[in-house]
Amino acid sequence: MHNAAFRHLGIEASYQAWDIPPAELAAAVARLREPGVYGANVTIPHKLEVMPFLDEVSKVAKTIGAVNTIVNRQGRLLGTNTDAVGFSRALGDVGVRPAGISAVMLGAGGAARAVAYALLTAGVRLLLVYNRTPARAERLARDFAALGAIAVVPTSELPICIGAADLLVNTTSVGMVGSKGDDLPLPELWLPRQGVVVDIIYRPSRTRLLREAQAAGLTIQNGLPMLVYQGAESFSLWTGEQSPARAMLEAARLVLESLPS
Ligand code: ATR
């Protein structure tokens, strides 16, 4: 999608995949300081480990606990995280304004931290977190308590909390291609009575959770808009240009459609 964006804007640049073993991280980051390099995305397992090699790490990246984007500013490297912005913008596409709503979030991993940041800083009335491993949800709720009303929900109260929620978000990997299969990220099929269900998984394009939610007449969204919008935000930070989000979305969709399901 980044190469499509470069082509769309007539920028002579390319986005490349670098497979960097942990021992070579420092040297790889040093190469990003060269003139002519816009920056980079960072993914597992370097999202946290990259921080000491940067000149500055944004507050959002520190709070989420992960850098997904590095920007080269005349040889100085800024680390930030565009996942929360990406998630917020994606919500806008399905008409969700988080201020004042109640949301239930499934999962407490890295992606959940970006979603929690987005929802709490946008002013949700209450964010309830459910996770297979409750201790991890407790940790997330503690880490984000200063940003707004966040609490852990036990399994016994989950059906009633989801039923009353305006927004249900799955941030777990359950239902993703290559994981356990066509499973639900919940002990049973519990859905909001009305509202929006978002699954940040984009492969498959409709997880079982989304199919069930759609069958129940709820508005659904998969993870593709969040993926594209986090990329669009990174692209703007790198180039200073407004990113061609539509061209990026089309490029990402084409690649995803070409992959075996
Ligand atoms: P990411 O950075 O993509 O969020 P992660 O940090 O490994 O990845 O988090 C994965 C999330 O999916 C966690 O909330 C995890 O739950 P645990 O904290 O209990 O591990 C959740 N998850 C993964 N597999 C799961 C499964 N089979 N059932 C329920 N939750 C699962």
Side-chain angles (χ1 to χ4, degrees), residues 98-132:
I101 72 168
S102 72
V104 173
M105 179 174 78
L106 310 174
R113 294 177 72 88
V115 167
Y117 185 95
L119 291 175
L120 291 168
T121 54
V124 283
R125 177 162 50 80
L126 177 61
L127 174 60
L128 293 171
V129 187
Y130 173 80
N131 195 47
R132 173 179 63 180

PDB file of all heavy atoms in Angstrom, residues 98-132:
ATOM      1  N   PRO A  98     -16.524   7.896  19.603  1.00  0.00           N
ATOM      2  CA  PRO A  98     -16.362   7.224  20.896  1.00  0.00           C
ATOM      3  C   PRO A  98     -16.803   8.051  22.106  1.00  0.00           C
ATOM      4  O   PRO A  98     -17.144   7.470  23.134  1.00  0.00           O
ATOM      5  CB  PRO A  98     -14.857   6.939  20.972  1.00  0.00           C
ATOM      6  CG  PRO A  98     -14.374   7.016  19.557  1.00  0.00           C
ATOM      7  CD  PRO A  98     -15.252   8.018  18.873  1.00  0.00           C
ATOM      8  N   ALA A  99     -16.832   9.372  21.999  1.00  0.00           N
ATOM      9  CA  ALA A  99     -17.144  10.189  23.177  1.00  0.00           C
ATOM     10  C   ALA A  99     -18.495   9.779  23.767  1.00  0.00           C
ATOM     11  O   ALA A  99     -19.517   9.794  23.081  1.00  0.00           O
ATOM     12  CB  ALA A  99     -17.159  11.665  22.800  1.00  0.00           C
ATOM     13  N   GLY A 100     -18.483   9.373  25.042  1.00  0.00           N
ATOM     14  CA  GLY A 100     -19.719   9.075  25.753  1.00  0.00           C
ATOM     15  C   GLY A 100     -20.283   7.679  25.568  1.00  0.00           C
ATOM     16  O   GLY A 100     -21.287   7.330  26.187  1.00  0.00           O
ATOM     17  N   ILE A 101     -19.673   6.859  24.705  1.00  0.00           N
ATOM     18  CA  ILE A 101     -20.240   5.519  24.488  1.00  0.00           C
ATOM     19  C   ILE A 101     -19.617   4.512  25.462  1.00  0.00           C
ATOM     20  O   ILE A 101     -18.610   4.790  26.111  1.00  0.00           O
ATOM     21  CB  ILE A 101     -20.049   5.022  23.023  1.00  0.00           C
ATOM     22  CG1 ILE A 101     -18.576   4.663  22.747  1.00  0.00           C
ATOM     23  CG2 ILE A 101     -20.563   6.047  22.028  1.00  0.00           C
ATOM     24  CD1 ILE A 101     -18.379   3.915  21.439  1.00  0.00           C
ATOM     25  N   SER A 102     -20.241   3.325  25.543  1.00  0.00           N
ATOM     26  CA  SER A 102     -19.631   2.262  26.341  1.00  0.00           C
ATOM     27  C   SER A 102     -19.132   1.175  25.390  1.00  0.00           C
ATOM     28  O   SER A 102     -19.792   0.846  24.401  1.00  0.00           O
ATOM     29  CB  SER A 102     -20.644   1.688  27.335  1.00  0.00           C
ATOM     30  OG  SER A 102     -21.605   0.929  26.649  1.00  0.00           O
ATOM     31  N   ALA A 103     -17.942   0.661  25.699  1.00  0.00           N
ATOM     32  CA  ALA A 103     -17.313  -0.297  24.795  1.00  0.00           C
ATOM     33  C   ALA A 103     -16.787  -1.489  25.580  1.00  0.00           C
ATOM     34  O   ALA A 103     -16.369  -1.351  26.732  1.00  0.00           O
ATOM     35  CB  ALA A 103     -16.168   0.384  24.039  1.00  0.00           C
ATOM     36  N   VAL A 104     -16.846  -2.649  24.942  1.00  0.00           N
ATOM     37  CA  VAL A 104     -16.212  -3.845  25.502  1.00  0.00           C
ATOM     38  C   VAL A 104     -15.100  -4.244  24.543  1.00  0.00           C
ATOM     39  O   VAL A 104     -15.318  -4.338  23.329  1.00  0.00           O
ATOM     40  CB  VAL A 104     -17.215  -5.009  25.671  1.00  0.00           C
ATOM     41  CG1 VAL A 104     -16.485  -6.282  26.104  1.00  0.00           C
ATOM     42  CG2 VAL A 104     -18.307  -4.641  26.684  1.00  0.00           C
ATOM     43  N   MET A 105     -13.915  -4.463  25.094  1.00  0.00           N
ATOM     44  CA  MET A 105     -12.758  -4.845  24.284  1.00  0.00           C
ATOM     45  C   MET A 105     -12.323  -6.251  24.678  1.00  0.00           C
ATOM     46  O   MET A 105     -12.109  -6.530  25.861  1.00  0.00           O
ATOM     47  CB  MET A 105     -11.620  -3.845  24.529  1.00  0.00           C
ATOM     48  CG  MET A 105     -10.368  -4.167  23.742  1.00  0.00           C
ATOM     49  SD  MET A 105      -9.107  -2.873  23.907  1.00  0.00           S
ATOM     50  CE  MET A 105      -8.453  -3.258  25.533  1.00  0.00           C
ATOM     51  N   LEU A 106     -12.183  -7.122  23.688  1.00  0.00           N
ATOM     52  CA  LEU A 106     -11.708  -8.485  23.933  1.00  0.00           C
ATOM     53  C   LEU A 106     -10.218  -8.526  23.646  1.00  0.00           C
ATOM     54  O   LEU A 106      -9.788  -8.148  22.551  1.00  0.00           O
ATOM     55  CB  LEU A 106     -12.449  -9.462  23.018  1.00  0.00           C
ATOM     56  CG  LEU A 106     -13.983  -9.336  23.015  1.00  0.00           C
ATOM     57  CD1 LEU A 106     -14.597 -10.262  21.961  1.00  0.00           C
ATOM     58  CD2 LEU A 106     -14.541  -9.644  24.405  1.00  0.00           C
ATOM     59  N   GLY A 107      -9.431  -8.955  24.631  1.00  0.00           N
ATOM     60  CA  GLY A 107      -7.982  -9.052  24.444  1.00  0.00           C
ATOM     61  C   GLY A 107      -7.245  -8.001  25.240  1.00  0.00           C
ATOM     62  O   GLY A 107      -7.824  -6.970  25.638  1.00  0.00           O
ATOM     63  N   ALA A 108      -5.976  -8.294  25.528  1.00  0.00           N
ATOM     64  CA  ALA A 108      -5.178  -7.371  26.340  1.00  0.00           C
ATOM     65  C   ALA A 108      -3.723  -7.369  25.883  1.00  0.00           C
ATOM     66  O   ALA A 108      -2.811  -7.098  26.671  1.00  0.00           O
ATOM     67  CB  ALA A 108      -5.285  -7.760  27.817  1.00  0.00           C
ATOM     68  N   GLY A 109      -3.490  -7.673  24.613  1.00  0.00           N
ATOM     69  CA  GLY A 109      -2.127  -7.698  24.080  1.00  0.00           C
ATOM     70  C   GLY A 109      -1.718  -6.344  23.521  1.00  0.00           C
ATOM     71  O   GLY A 109      -2.270  -5.304  23.908  1.00  0.00           O
ATOM     72  N   GLY A 110      -0.768  -6.365  22.606  1.00  0.00           N
ATOM     73  CA  GLY A 110      -0.236  -5.125  22.042  1.00  0.00           C
ATOM     74  C   GLY A 110      -1.291  -4.345  21.285  1.00  0.00           C
ATOM     75  O   GLY A 110      -1.423  -3.126  21.438  1.00  0.00           O
ATOM     76  N   ALA A 111      -2.072  -5.033  20.467  1.00  0.00           N
ATOM     77  CA  ALA A 111      -3.100  -4.349  19.680  1.00  0.00           C
ATOM     78  C   ALA A 111      -4.151  -3.743  20.603  1.00  0.00           C
ATOM     79  O   ALA A 111      -4.652  -2.639  20.361  1.00  0.00           O
ATOM     80  CB  ALA A 111      -3.739  -5.329  18.704  1.00  0.00           C
ATOM     81  N   ALA A 112      -4.470  -4.465  21.683  1.00  0.00           N
ATOM     82  CA  ALA A 112      -5.473  -3.970  22.633  1.00  0.00           C
ATOM     83  C   ALA A 112      -5.015  -2.654  23.252  1.00  0.00           C
ATOM     84  O   ALA A 112      -5.835  -1.761  23.510  1.00  0.00           O
ATOM     85  CB  ALA A 112      -5.705  -5.008  23.726  1.00  0.00           C
ATOM     86  N   ARG A 113      -3.728  -2.519  23.485  1.00  0.00           N
ATOM     87  CA  ARG A 113      -3.231  -1.290  24.112  1.00  0.00           C
ATOM     88  C   ARG A 113      -3.446  -0.087  23.187  1.00  0.00           C
ATOM     89  O   ARG A 113      -3.784   1.012  23.641  1.00  0.00           O
ATOM     90  CB  ARG A 113      -1.762  -1.442  24.510  1.00  0.00           C
ATOM     91  CG  ARG A 113      -1.577  -2.496  25.608  1.00  0.00           C
ATOM     92  CD  ARG A 113      -0.115  -2.704  25.957  1.00  0.00           C
ATOM     93  NE  ARG A 113       0.449  -1.588  26.699  1.00  0.00           N
ATOM     94  CZ  ARG A 113       0.418  -1.471  28.031  1.00  0.00           C
ATOM     95  NH1 ARG A 113      -0.167  -2.409  28.758  1.00  0.00           N
ATOM     96  NH2 ARG A 113       0.961  -0.439  28.623  1.00  0.00           N
ATOM     97  N   ALA A 114      -3.276  -0.289  21.887  1.00  0.00           N
ATOM     98  CA  ALA A 114      -3.515   0.812  20.936  1.00  0.00           C
ATOM     99  C   ALA A 114      -5.005   1.158  20.879  1.00  0.00           C
ATOM    100  O   ALA A 114      -5.383   2.335  20.863  1.00  0.00           O
ATOM    101  CB  ALA A 114      -3.004   0.427  19.551  1.00  0.00           C
ATOM    102  N   VAL A 115      -5.848   0.137  20.889  1.00  0.00           N
ATOM    103  CA  VAL A 115      -7.300   0.361  20.842  1.00  0.00           C
ATOM    104  C   VAL A 115      -7.758   1.067  22.123  1.00  0.00           C
ATOM    105  O   VAL A 115      -8.550   2.020  22.079  1.00  0.00           O
ATOM    106  CB  VAL A 115      -8.047  -0.977  20.629  1.00  0.00           C
ATOM    107  CG1 VAL A 115      -9.540  -0.836  20.886  1.00  0.00           C
ATOM    108  CG2 VAL A 115      -7.789  -1.503  19.218  1.00  0.00           C
ATOM    109  N   ALA A 116      -7.245   0.621  23.266  1.00  0.00           N
ATOM    110  CA  ALA A 116      -7.618   1.245  24.540  1.00  0.00           C
ATOM    111  C   ALA A 116      -7.191   2.711  24.549  1.00  0.00           C
ATOM    112  O   ALA A 116      -7.949   3.590  24.978  1.00  0.00           O
ATOM    113  CB  ALA A 116      -6.970   0.492  25.706  1.00  0.00           C
ATOM    114  N   TYR A 117      -5.993   2.980  24.065  1.00  0.00           N
ATOM    115  CA  TYR A 117      -5.511   4.364  24.011  1.00  0.00           C
ATOM    116  C   TYR A 117      -6.459   5.217  23.171  1.00  0.00           C
ATOM    117  O   TYR A 117      -6.865   6.311  23.573  1.00  0.00           O
ATOM    118  CB  TYR A 117      -4.092   4.406  23.437  1.00  0.00           C
ATOM    119  CG  TYR A 117      -3.474   5.781  23.461  1.00  0.00           C
ATOM    120  CD1 TYR A 117      -2.649   6.167  24.511  1.00  0.00           C
ATOM    121  CD2 TYR A 117      -3.733   6.705  22.446  1.00  0.00           C
ATOM    122  CE1 TYR A 117      -2.091   7.436  24.561  1.00  0.00           C
ATOM    123  CE2 TYR A 117      -3.182   7.975  22.479  1.00  0.00           C
ATOM    124  CZ  TYR A 117      -2.353   8.338  23.534  1.00  0.00           C
ATOM    125  OH  TYR A 117      -1.817   9.597  23.577  1.00  0.00           O
ATOM    126  N   ALA A 118      -6.823   4.681  21.994  1.00  0.00           N
ATOM    127  CA  ALA A 118      -7.697   5.444  21.091  1.00  0.00           C
ATOM    128  C   ALA A 118      -9.044   5.722  21.750  1.00  0.00           C
ATOM    129  O   ALA A 118      -9.540   6.857  21.721  1.00  0.00           O
ATOM    130  CB  ALA A 118      -7.905   4.663  19.789  1.00  0.00           C
ATOM    131  N   LEU A 119      -9.635   4.708  22.350  1.00  0.00           N
ATOM    132  CA  LEU A 119     -10.985   4.868  22.907  1.00  0.00           C
ATOM    133  C   LEU A 119     -10.980   5.778  24.130  1.00  0.00           C
ATOM    134  O   LEU A 119     -11.841   6.642  24.279  1.00  0.00           O
ATOM    135  CB  LEU A 119     -11.573   3.497  23.262  1.00  0.00           C
ATOM    136  CG  LEU A 119     -11.911   2.613  22.052  1.00  0.00           C
ATOM    137  CD1 LEU A 119     -12.363   1.233  22.513  1.00  0.00           C
ATOM    138  CD2 LEU A 119     -12.996   3.265  21.186  1.00  0.00           C
ATOM    139  N   LEU A 120      -9.994   5.599  25.006  1.00  0.00           N
ATOM    140  CA  LEU A 120      -9.984   6.393  26.240  1.00  0.00           C
ATOM    141  C   LEU A 120      -9.657   7.857  25.951  1.00  0.00           C
ATOM    142  O   LEU A 120     -10.286   8.755  26.510  1.00  0.00           O
ATOM    143  CB  LEU A 120      -8.981   5.803  27.241  1.00  0.00           C
ATOM    144  CG  LEU A 120      -9.403   4.443  27.825  1.00  0.00           C
ATOM    145  CD1 LEU A 120      -8.249   3.788  28.574  1.00  0.00           C
ATOM    146  CD2 LEU A 120     -10.619   4.586  28.752  1.00  0.00           C
ATOM    147  N   THR A 121      -8.702   8.108  25.069  1.00  0.00           N
ATOM    148  CA  THR A 121      -8.368   9.508  24.784  1.00  0.00           C
ATOM    149  C   THR A 121      -9.492  10.191  24.000  1.00  0.00           C
ATOM    150  O   THR A 121      -9.596  11.411  24.013  1.00  0.00           O
ATOM    151  CB  THR A 121      -7.028   9.655  24.020  1.00  0.00           C
ATOM    152  OG1 THR A 121      -7.094   8.843  22.852  1.00  0.00           O
ATOM    153  CG2 THR A 121      -5.846   9.245  24.873  1.00  0.00           C
ATOM    154  N   ALA A 122     -10.342   9.401  23.346  1.00  0.00           N
ATOM    155  CA  ALA A 122     -11.492   9.999  22.643  1.00  0.00           C
ATOM    156  C   ALA A 122     -12.693  10.161  23.566  1.00  0.00           C
ATOM    157  O   ALA A 122     -13.751  10.621  23.138  1.00  0.00           O
ATOM    158  CB  ALA A 122     -11.867   9.149  21.433  1.00  0.00           C
ATOM    159  N   GLY A 123     -12.561   9.733  24.823  1.00  0.00           N
ATOM    160  CA  GLY A 123     -13.611  10.030  25.800  1.00  0.00           C
ATOM    161  C   GLY A 123     -14.719   9.027  25.917  1.00  0.00           C
ATOM    162  O   GLY A 123     -15.870   9.404  26.202  1.00  0.00           O
ATOM    163  N   VAL A 124     -14.435   7.716  25.745  1.00  0.00           N
ATOM    164  CA  VAL A 124     -15.512   6.738  25.994  1.00  0.00           C
ATOM    165  C   VAL A 124     -15.983   6.872  27.445  1.00  0.00           C
ATOM    166  O   VAL A 124     -15.201   7.209  28.335  1.00  0.00           O
ATOM    167  CB  VAL A 124     -15.091   5.257  25.752  1.00  0.00           C
ATOM    168  CG1 VAL A 124     -15.039   4.899  24.295  1.00  0.00           C
ATOM    169  CG2 VAL A 124     -13.827   4.884  26.481  1.00  0.00           C
ATOM    170  N   ARG A 125     -17.260   6.593  27.662  1.00  0.00           N
ATOM    171  CA  ARG A 125     -17.807   6.681  29.014  1.00  0.00           C
ATOM    172  C   ARG A 125     -17.216   5.572  29.869  1.00  0.00           C
ATOM    173  O   ARG A 125     -16.834   5.780  31.021  1.00  0.00           O
ATOM    174  CB  ARG A 125     -19.335   6.574  28.953  1.00  0.00           C
ATOM    175  CG  ARG A 125     -20.036   6.589  30.303  1.00  0.00           C
ATOM    176  CD  ARG A 125     -21.518   6.915  30.128  1.00  0.00           C
ATOM    177  NE  ARG A 125     -22.166   6.094  29.099  1.00  0.00           N
ATOM    178  CZ  ARG A 125     -22.577   4.843  29.303  1.00  0.00           C
ATOM    179  NH1 ARG A 125     -22.425   4.281  30.462  1.00  0.00           N
ATOM    180  NH2 ARG A 125     -23.165   4.171  28.322  1.00  0.00           N
ATOM    181  N   LEU A 126     -17.143   4.350  29.296  1.00  0.00           N
ATOM    182  CA  LEU A 126     -16.609   3.211  30.037  1.00  0.00           C
ATOM    183  C   LEU A 126     -16.009   2.218  29.043  1.00  0.00           C
ATOM    184  O   LEU A 126     -16.645   1.872  28.040  1.00  0.00           O
ATOM    185  CB  LEU A 126     -17.734   2.528  30.832  1.00  0.00           C
ATOM    186  CG  LEU A 126     -17.351   1.268  31.607  1.00  0.00           C
ATOM    187  CD1 LEU A 126     -16.277   1.568  32.658  1.00  0.00           C
ATOM    188  CD2 LEU A 126     -18.585   0.657  32.270  1.00  0.00           C
ATOM    189  N   LEU A 127     -14.800   1.768  29.339  1.00  0.00           N
ATOM    190  CA  LEU A 127     -14.174   0.715  28.531  1.00  0.00           C
ATOM    191  C   LEU A 127     -13.989  -0.505  29.416  1.00  0.00           C
ATOM    192  O   LEU A 127     -13.278  -0.459  30.431  1.00  0.00           O
ATOM    193  CB  LEU A 127     -12.821   1.189  27.980  1.00  0.00           C
ATOM    194  CG  LEU A 127     -12.009   0.121  27.230  1.00  0.00           C
ATOM    195  CD1 LEU A 127     -12.779  -0.418  26.021  1.00  0.00           C
ATOM    196  CD2 LEU A 127     -10.664   0.700  26.769  1.00  0.00           C
ATOM    197  N   LEU A 128     -14.650  -1.596  29.034  1.00  0.00           N
ATOM    198  CA  LEU A 128     -14.525  -2.853  29.779  1.00  0.00           C
ATOM    199  C   LEU A 128     -13.617  -3.797  28.994  1.00  0.00           C
ATOM    200  O   LEU A 128     -13.749  -3.922  27.769  1.00  0.00           O
ATOM    201  CB  LEU A 128     -15.899  -3.487  29.973  1.00  0.00           C
ATOM    202  CG  LEU A 128     -16.839  -2.687  30.881  1.00  0.00           C
ATOM    203  CD1 LEU A 128     -18.251  -3.258  30.847  1.00  0.00           C
ATOM    204  CD2 LEU A 128     -16.307  -2.658  32.314  1.00  0.00           C
ATOM    205  N   VAL A 129     -12.704  -4.436  29.712  1.00  0.00           N
ATOM    206  CA  VAL A 129     -11.724  -5.311  29.054  1.00  0.00           C
ATOM    207  C   VAL A 129     -11.941  -6.743  29.513  1.00  0.00           C
ATOM    208  O   VAL A 129     -12.077  -7.011  30.704  1.00  0.00           O
ATOM    209  CB  VAL A 129     -10.280  -4.900  29.446  1.00  0.00           C
ATOM    210  CG1 VAL A 129      -9.270  -5.695  28.632  1.00  0.00           C
ATOM    211  CG2 VAL A 129     -10.079  -3.413  29.281  1.00  0.00           C
ATOM    212  N   TYR A 130     -11.981  -7.642  28.527  1.00  0.00           N
ATOM    213  CA  TYR A 130     -12.082  -9.069  28.838  1.00  0.00           C
ATOM    214  C   TYR A 130     -10.921  -9.788  28.176  1.00  0.00           C
ATOM    215  O   TYR A 130     -10.632  -9.557  26.998  1.00  0.00           O
ATOM    216  CB  TYR A 130     -13.406  -9.648  28.319  1.00  0.00           C
ATOM    217  CG  TYR A 130     -13.470 -11.140  28.470  1.00  0.00           C
ATOM    218  CD1 TYR A 130     -13.791 -11.708  29.703  1.00  0.00           C
ATOM    219  CD2 TYR A 130     -13.185 -11.988  27.408  1.00  0.00           C
ATOM    220  CE1 TYR A 130     -13.827 -13.084  29.857  1.00  0.00           C
ATOM    221  CE2 TYR A 130     -13.219 -13.367  27.559  1.00  0.00           C
ATOM    222  CZ  TYR A 130     -13.539 -13.906  28.786  1.00  0.00           C
ATOM    223  OH  TYR A 130     -13.564 -15.265  28.937  1.00  0.00           O
ATOM    224  N   ASN A 131     -10.243 -10.641  28.935  1.00  0.00           N
ATOM    225  CA  ASN A 131      -9.138 -11.397  28.350  1.00  0.00           C
ATOM    226  C   ASN A 131      -9.085 -12.795  28.913  1.00  0.00           C
ATOM    227  O   ASN A 131      -9.430 -13.021  30.072  1.00  0.00           O
ATOM    228  CB  ASN A 131      -7.807 -10.672  28.626  1.00  0.00           C
ATOM    229  CG  ASN A 131      -6.685 -11.194  27.756  1.00  0.00           C
ATOM    230  OD1 ASN A 131      -6.861 -11.356  26.547  1.00  0.00           O
ATOM    231  ND2 ASN A 131      -5.540 -11.486  28.352  1.00  0.00           N
ATOM    232  N   ARG A 132      -8.638 -13.733  28.074  1.00  0.00           N
ATOM    233  CA  ARG A 132      -8.488 -15.124  28.511  1.00  0.00           C
ATOM    234  C   ARG A 132      -7.647 -15.195  29.781  1.00  0.00           C
ATOM    235  O   ARG A 132      -7.973 -15.909  30.715  1.00  0.00           O
ATOM    236  CB  ARG A 132      -7.823 -15.924  27.375  1.00  0.00           C
ATOM    237  CG  ARG A 132      -7.448 -17.335  27.757  1.00  0.00           C
ATOM    238  CD  ARG A 132      -6.817 -18.061  26.601  1.00  0.00           C
ATOM    239  NE  ARG A 132      -5.550 -17.437  26.173  1.00  0.00           N
ATOM    240  CZ  ARG A 132      -4.799 -17.886  25.179  1.00  0.00           C
ATOM    241  NH1 ARG A 132      -5.202 -18.937  24.489  1.00  0.00           N
ATOM    242  NH2 ARG A 132      -3.669 -17.274  24.860  1.00  0.00           N
TER     243      ARG A 132
END
